[in-house]
């Protein structure tokens, strides 16, 4: 089953969702604009799954409309 996130209501907004997971891997989707406002949430989300022991993290960026270097650094 493919999860397709709907775009956020605010064009400058962002959201993250878990599309699926198991003990060693997780699939995440990102939507909207990933800029300095999103960097803390993105880093925290990735750290949460890493701390849970998930060694494979797939991040679907197909619904991202903009990304700056602050999120690329994460």
């Amino acid at each position: 089953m493919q999860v397709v996130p709907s775009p956020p209501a605010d064009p400058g907004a962002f959201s993250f969702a878990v599309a699926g997971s198991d003990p060693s891997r997780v699939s995440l989707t990102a939507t909207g604009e990933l800029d300095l406002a999103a960097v803390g949430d993105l880093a925290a989300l990735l750290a949460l799954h890493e701390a849970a022991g998930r060694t494979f993290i797939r991040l679907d960026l197909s619904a991202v409309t903009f990304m700056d270097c602050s999120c690329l650094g994460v």
Side-chain angles (χ1 to χ4, degrees):
M1 179 175 141
Q2 181 179 9
V3 177
V4 178
S6 58
D10 176 8
F14 61 90
S15 65
F16 302 107
V18 176
S21 67
D22 65 32
S24 66
R25 69 188 102 224
V26 64
S27 290
L28 306 170
T29 59
T31 305
E33 295 186 3
L34 299 184
D35 55 14
L36 190 58
V39 74
D41 289 345
L42 177 58
L45 178 65
L46 296 175
L48 175 79
H49 288 288
E50 184 180 28
R54 295 190 173 98
T55 54
F56 301 98
I57 299 175
R58 178 182 177 269
L59 183 57
D60 179 0
L61 301 173
S62 62
V64 171
T65 57
F66 174 81
M67 180 185 290
D68 70 8
C69 61
S70 61
C71 284
L72 286 175
V74 175

